[in-house]
Amino acid sequence: MSEVGFPYLDNLNEIQRNAVLATEGPVMVIAGPGSGKTRVLTFRIAHLIKIGVAPWNILALTFTNKAAREMKDRIESVVGPSANKVWAGTFHSLFSRILRVEAHHLGYPNDFTIYDTDDSKSVLRQIIKTLKLDPKVYNVSAMLSRISHAKSNLITPKAYAANEELLSHDRMNRRPMTQMIYDKYVNKCQRSGAMDFDDLLLQMFRLLYQNPNNVREKYQAQFRYLMVDEFQDTNYLQYEILKLLSIYNESPHNICIVGDDAQSIYSFRGATIENILQFNKDYPNVQVYKLEQNYRSTTYIVETANAIINYNKKQIPKKIWTDKPEGSKIKIIKAMSDSEEGRRIADGIIEQKHRFNLANKQIAILYRTNAQSRIFEEHLRRQNLAYRIYGGLSFYARKEIKDMIAYLRLAVNFKDDEAFKRVINYPRRGLGNKTIDEIVKIADENDISMMEVLMKVDLNIRAKQKLIDFVKQIGAFTRKAESASAFDTALYISRQSGIMDTLKADTSPEGMSRVENLNALLDAIKEFVEDDVLEPGEDVIDKSLAKFLQTISLMTDADSDDGTNDTITLMSVHAAKGLEFRSVFVVGLEENLFPSYMSLSSPDQIDEERRLFYVAITRAEEYLTLSFSNSRYTFGQMRFNDPSRFLEEIPDTSVDAITAITKNKPTGKSPFGQPKVLGNFKPVGRKALPKINAADFKADPASKIKAGMRVMHLRFGEGEVISVDARHFATIRFSQVADNHEKRIALQYAKLQILE
């Protein structure tokens, strides 16, 4: 029975209910896959409001805006419109809102710009050019990653300069100027009134740690209840911020974390599994609740997941279980080549769609690296199967959209150098690179923004009047932004800047598409203006251009995916966390690919790869198919890999494999155990694909290939030439290809070695 006035508690099992009712002090909810963690989190917030906690006193942190929206919708179904007053959102979005109010304490304008990855790379590219460093040695992506890692570990440029270990590492990698680049990067961003994504966390920490005007006490008093979703994905910096918010007068505040150590897969982003494993040391009186019932997957999938993750030593003990039926056993596909793998996956999807009446959107293909998508795209196209690659080019990453947004950014913050560089000569004003380089040089020498150069420095250049006109134009945009809504301002800028006319002048299909995209952006701004939801902490609804730019700068592909299109999903396993599908195909399960070759030297990294595999298989509700290939092209070369060690860890009783998988006895360094055949089936008795060294392979002249010969092919193995026609096409039956499949090959390109 539910408590009086709390009927929603009837929707929870006993452990979930206890976690919801534990409202005071530190609480840790260990939530296995499909165990209803979102329900616990949302009902816990709803329950707090029901028992009298003001919604604006609750801070709920997530990792995607989509998750935050779903959370608010569920809370609203219980408590009504007051759900909108809960501070629910991502770390970056909520901290950026606080910084909009407090940034002046840190030397930033409150209407600071948020730099995306492209902006940051552009800043670094200019610094590397100014310092006359080799861009191949000082790779922009590597520099940005290094700086991001430093910020995530609370290492400022000054601290970096004092850390001999970091400096020594840079010298060993022939990048001794890294610290200087970091220092100049930070200065340039601050000069431009801009923060990158890492700054939204770092500056939030600075704000609380330095505590100007008792800011920390202000937000500790406001956020009396903290809740964190996917806590295993937090990094060192995020956890330090949470401590500053939750430890009040040296005693723990009311903080509830929800997560699963077995799904910690983002160490490459700085996430540390130690945060969840060591949480009880920072909060010794923590109450722990383990959600172990899986409501998503069938018995065979759950048992396989348990067996896999038990190979990891560092974990919080738990036993996931389900009362769902056994369901279909796991299928394993063995392919001789990556092309055959793609074909058989596409065939398998068609079979499942017909047999189980699956819609496309109920099916996903998951891979370890995005580069694997190509071969599956090709075969899905051949079968006329609709698909979507998750993580493709975002709408807001398109050139015409970034150009327009650069104008909008300048209207709000004229010091934004990256926006300035993007539009100073677009639409074309007849400015040359020499003029722009001169502006950059003067800005650096005087430590001012590029726009301030035009406003304050009397430039002796031919294009002087054009630059004066540009300054006047941006000034007009700024005045419009200060007095009008985001939509009216954007519409004005799209016309007065000349962008709309420039795009309309291109009447090609591509040009028309770009006009449609720009109109779609204006539609999005119109929708933003017409949205009448009041956010927590707001007395009036903010329809300003600055607020719109803040909103879109923190959007991701996950936020814009509404799931309405009936398409098969292709995505990396990392991107799949938090999602579920009736049928999942996990492909490329080979040593050096999954697990990645970069993880093989470290037991901790192998454990993370295993957690990644655990995440992959627990996305499946009813049907799980695993596949691997004996050979695939990698970096233009044919490579032969063993099946993934993770396939060895699957219980025989859970597998209904399509093809037998037999491994040879290890030589000592092999990651595998004793010889074993996977699956409760009889081996088909085919010969293993010969391990051919591509470098030693000797192809015979095409003119020598005759019917009846035994030949060897690098990808398909040994075969018999059935016939050779007048056009020099050979029909060959390959014994290593499924069902002795015959292939018709052009001898001119075949590269065959005659065996007999």
Side-chain angles (χ1 to χ4, degrees):
M1 294 292 293
S2 66
E3 296 183 19
V4 177
F6 307 135
Y8 49 86
L9 295 177
D10 290 338
N11 297 318
L12 304 172
N13 65 35
E14 184 180 357
I15 300 297
Q16 292 174 334
R17 176 190 173 101
N18 292 339
V20 166
L21 294 175
T23 58
E24 305 303 306
V27 174
M28 178 163 66
V29 180
I30 303 301
S35 61
K37 74 174 179 68
T38 304
R39 174 177 292 184
V40 169
L41 200 60
T42 53
F43 278 14
R44 194 172 190 275
I45 295 171
H47 186 68
L48 284 170
I49 296 172
K50 280 286 190 179
I51 63 176
V53 176
W56 52 85
N57 290 146
I58 302 171
L59 178 66
L61 293 160
T62 67
F63 276 84
T64 68
N65 292 310
K66 183 179 179 182
R69 286 197 300 270
E70 290 176 354
M71 185 187 299
K72 281 189 174 182
D73 289 344
R74 292 198 192 189
I75 298 168
E76 187 173 5
S77 69
V78 178
V79 302
S82 62
N84 287 318
K85 297 181 180 179
V86 175
W87 279 68
T90 66
F91 282 85
H92 293 88
S93 65
L94 294 184
F95 292 169
S96 71
R97 286 185 55 202
I98 292 172
L99 288 168
R100 292 287 175 197
V101 178
E102 313 288 356
H104 60 279
H105 293 305
L106 304 170
Y108 286 86
N110 285 354
D111 280 336
F112 58 86
T113 297
I114 299 176
Y115 276 176
D116 63 16
T117 300
D118 287 343
D119 293 323
S120 296
K121 286 183 175 180
S122 178
V123 174
L124 287 169
R125 205 172 284 117
Q126 184 63 51
I127 292 170
I128 292 166
K129 179 181 177 182
T130 302
L131 293 175
K132 298 180 179 178
L133 300 173
D134 185 345
K136 293 180 181 178
V137 175
Y138 289 89
N139 177 273
V140 168
S141 295
M143 289 295 97
L144 185 58
S145 176
R146 189 74 167 156
I147 290 170
S148 176
H149 183 268
K151 288 182 178 181
S152 296
N153 286 278
L154 286 175
I155 301 171
T156 62
K158 186 176 179 181
Y160 198 111
N163 190 316
E164 182 54 36
E165 184 179 349
L166 293 175
L167 298 177
S168 176
H169 179 275
D170 292 336
R171 288 193 294 268
M172 286 176 59
N173 287 279
R174 300 187 301 115
R175 295 170 180 160
M177 301 292 284
T178 299
Q179 189 278 332
M180 181 178 288
I181 293 172
Y182 181 16
D183 187 50
K184 287 186 176 295
Y185 174 78
V186 169
N187 289 336
K188 277 209 168 201
C189 287
Q190 188 150 14
R191 186 184 79 190
S192 297
M195 296 186 194
D196 63 20
F197 290 141
D198 293 310
D199 282 326
L200 296 176
L201 302 180
L202 181 60
Q203 301 306 329
M204 183 67 187
F205 175 84
R206 277 187 62 205
L207 182 69
L208 297 175
Y209 186 76
Q210 295 175 359
N211 199 23
N213 298 333
N214 297 319
V215 168
R216 181 166 68 243
E217 285 81 359
K218 170 185 173 181
Y219 288 103
Q220 284 178 335
Q222 176 173 346
F223 302 131
R224 293 172 47 214
Y225 292 86
L226 273 68
M227 266 164 274
V228 188
D229 192 14
E230 304 287 6
F231 184 73
Q232 77 281 345
D233 294 336
T234 56
N235 61 27
Y236 174 76
L237 178 53
Q238 287 166 323
Y239 191 24
E240 290 302 309
I241 294 171
L242 290 171
K243 289 178 186 176
L244 288 173
L245 285 171
S246 66
I247 299 179
Y248 188 61
N249 290 335
E250 299 185 357
S251 63
H253 221 22
N254 301 314
I255 179 171
C256 173
I257 65 163
V258 181
D260 182 8
D261 57 294
Q263 298 185 66
S264 178
I265 59 173
Y266 293 118
S267 66
F268 67 96
R269 292 183 187 168
T272 170
I273 193 174
E274 300 301 326
N275 285 353
I276 193 168
L277 295 179
Q278 304 295 328
F279 186 77
N280 59 349
K281 292 185 178 180
D282 292 313
Y283 300 88
N285 297 322
V286 63
Q287 303 170 68
V288 180
Y289 300 92
K290 296 180 181 180
L291 308 183
E292 297 174 303
Q293 182 175 0
N294 182 302
Y295 292 93
R296 175 188 301 156
S297 306
T298 56
T299 301
Y300 283 125
I301 294 171
V302 170
E303 288 179 351
T304 297
N306 279 331
I308 292 292
I309 205 62
N310 279 340
Y311 281 82
N312 279 10
K313 292 182 172 58
K314 290 169 62 176
Q315 60 178 297
I316 297 172
K318 54 189 168 296
K319 178 73 172 179
I320 308 301
W321 61 277
T322 183
D323 58 8
K324 295 187 76 170
E326 285 186 337
S328 299
K329 288 192 173 185
I330 296 166
K331 295 188 179 297
I332 299 178
I333 295 177
K334 172 184 176 181
M336 308 312 295
S337 67
D338 49 359
S339 180
E340 185 192 349
E341 182 185 32
R343 176 180 62 80
R344 295 184 68 178
I345 293 297
D347 290 346
I349 288 174
I350 290 175
E351 180 186 354
Q352 286 191 356
K353 281 170 62 66
H354 291 159
R355 181 182 296 183
F356 306 121
N357 195 29
L358 298 182
N360 287 331
K361 64 183 178 182
Q362 295 175 314
I363 302 169
I365 299 175
L366 307 183
Y367 33 73
R368 179 64 181 81
T369 66
N370 287 312
Q372 292 171 254
S373 69
R374 180 191 60 80
I375 200 74
F376 300 102
E377 286 186 75
E378 290 179 4
H379 286 279
L380 292 176
R381 280 199 200 102
R382 291 176 190 175
Q383 300 283 14
N384 201 27
L385 292 168
Y387 67 89
R388 173 179 183 255
I389 297 182
Y390 193 96
L393 184 64
S394 162
F395 174 78
Y396 289 99
R398 300 177 190 278
K399 180 185 180 302
E400 60 274 16
I401 301 302
K402 290 181 76 73
D403 290 337
M404 180 63 188
I405 287 175
Y407 270 109
L408 303 183
R409 280 167 45 175
L410 270 185
V412 172
N413 172 20
F414 69 86
K415 292 184 178 182
D416 186 342
D417 280 354
E418 292 312 304
F420 178 97
K421 286 191 288 186
R422 189 168 191 97
V423 300
I424 183 59
N425 202 29
Y426 181 79
R428 293 203 170 276
R429 295 182 174 82
L431 301 175
N433 291 334
K434 187 177 179 181
T435 298
I436 297 172
D437 288 344
E438 180 67 16
I439 297 171
V440 170
K441 181 182 177 183
I442 296 172
D444 288 343
E445 289 174 348
N446 294 275
D447 197 26
I448 58 177
S449 70
M450 296 173 72
M451 183 66 82
E452 286 175 304
V453 172
L454 304 191
M455 296 164 65
K456 298 178 179 180
V457 180
D458 186 13
L459 298 172
N460 185 22
I461 54 178
R462 291 175 57 189
K464 184 175 180 178
Q465 188 56 49
K466 294 176 181 177
L467 296 175
I468 292 173
D469 292 343
F470 178 72
V471 172
K472 289 180 180 178
Q473 185 183 65
I474 298 302
F477 295 168
T478 299
R479 289 189 293 275
K480 186 73 173 178
E482 290 170 347
S483 61
S485 71
F487 175 73
D488 289 340
T489 304
L491 187 62
Y492 176 78
I493 292 174
S494 70
R495 293 170 177 171
Q496 296 301 315
S497 65
I499 284 184
M500 185 65 82
D501 289 341
T502 299
L503 294 179
K504 285 182 177 179
D506 181 358
T507 57
S508 68
E510 294 80 7
M512 294 171 66
S513 176
R514 284 189 281 271
V515 172
E516 290 172 0
N517 287 337
L518 186 55
N519 282 323
L521 173 64
L522 293 172
D523 290 342
I525 300 175
K526 182 72 170 177
E527 184 179 349
F528 163 80
V529 168
E530 292 179 350
D531 185 1
D532 59 357
V533 176
L534 190 67
E535 291 196 358
E538 290 183 346
D539 297 323
V540 294
I541 299 173
D542 187 353
K543 302 299 182 185
S544 68
L545 184 58
K547 181 63 183 298
F548 173 76
L549 292 172
Q550 175 192 342
T551 302
I552 65 167
S553 66
L554 298 166
M555 286 186 66
T556 66
D557 282 354
D559 300 322
S560 57
D561 178 21
D562 60 8
T564 57
N565 294 327
D566 187 28
T567 54
I568 297 164
T569 299
L570 275 67
M571 63 186 354
S572 71
V573 183
H574 281 103
K577 193 159 79 68
L579 303 178
E580 55 189 54
F581 305 89
R582 283 187 67 190
S583 177
V584 170
F585 293 78
V586 186
V587 299
L589 281 161
E590 300 139 35
E591 288 292 296
N592 298 312
L593 183 55
F594 200 173
S596 165
Y597 71 93
M598 293 186 293
S599 70
L600 300 181
S601 61
S602 166
D604 284 346
Q605 290 183 20
I606 285 292
D607 280 359
E608 175 149 337
E609 290 286 302
R610 186 176 286 108
R611 292 195 294 269
L612 189 61
F613 183 48
Y614 177 84
V615 167
I617 61 181
T618 54
R619 299 311 93 199
E621 297 174 358
E622 298 178 55
Y623 311 106
L624 176 62
T625 305
L626 312 175
S627 71
F628 71 97
S629 169
N630 281 122
S631 65
R632 72 175 60 245
Y633 276 106
T634 307
F635 304 119
Q637 291 188 334
M638 175 70 71
R639 298 185 185 275
F640 299 91
N641 295 322
D642 287 318
S644 170
R645 68 189 69 195
F646 301 146
L647 293 173
E648 277 286 309
E649 298 167 359
I650 298 174
D652 290 356
T653 52
S654 298
V655 178
D656 178 18
I658 296 173
T659 310
I661 308 164
T662 307
K663 298 195 178 82
N664 296 323
K665 188 174 181 178
T667 59
K669 293 185 178 179
S670 169
F672 305 110
Q674 294 302 311
K676 175 182 177 182
V677 176
L678 288 179
N680 56 344
F681 51 83
K682 295 181 180 180
V684 296
R686 292 180 185 147
K687 296 179 181 179
L689 182 69
K691 294 298 181 71
I692 310 165
N693 188 324
D696 297 336
F697 183 82
K698 303 293 184 184
D700 288 301
S703 59
K704 292 187 176 181
I705 306 299
K706 307 295 182 185
M709 285 184 170
R710 301 292 299 175
V711 294
M712 180 70 72
H713 187 278
L714 265 176
R715 299 186 71 181
F716 308 126
E718 188 176 325
E720 179 184 358
V721 181
I722 305 302
S723 64
V724 178
D725 64 21
R727 298 176 60 198
H728 303 289
F729 275 80
T731 300
I732 305 174
R733 181 182 295 122
F734 290 102
S735 58
Q736 304 302 323
V737 176
D739 303 321
N740 288 346
H741 189 68
E742 293 183 1
K743 291 186 176 292
R744 190 165 180 266
I745 299 177
L747 291 176
Q748 181 181 358
Y749 308 108
K751 292 186 179 180
L752 298 168
Q753 181 177 348
I754 298 172
L755 299 179
E756 59 181 58

